[in-house]
Amino acid sequence: MEGTVVLAMVIAIPVILFPAAFVWYLNIGGLMKAYKEQRVAREATGKTK
């Protein structure tokens, strides 16, 4: 490959992957928050499962 193609790929790949990784991070954070809220609610009612 030519140097310009490699340079373009080095610049383009992080630009494309960063938004996807950020959305994935937000989704995982939301799942963790929902799990913690569910656990607190379950402990408050005294149910184990």
Side-chain angles (χ1 to χ4, degrees), residues 30-42:
L31 289 173
M32 293 299 294
K33 183 178 178 184
Y35 173 74
K36 287 179 183 178
E37 289 176 357
Q38 179 188 23
R39 189 176 62 196
V40 168
R42 186 182 306 143

Side-chain angles (χ1 to χ4, degrees), residues 1-10 13:
M1 284 192 212
E2 288 189 33
T4 55
V5 174
V6 172
L7 180 64
M9 289 176 62
V10 166
I13 289 173

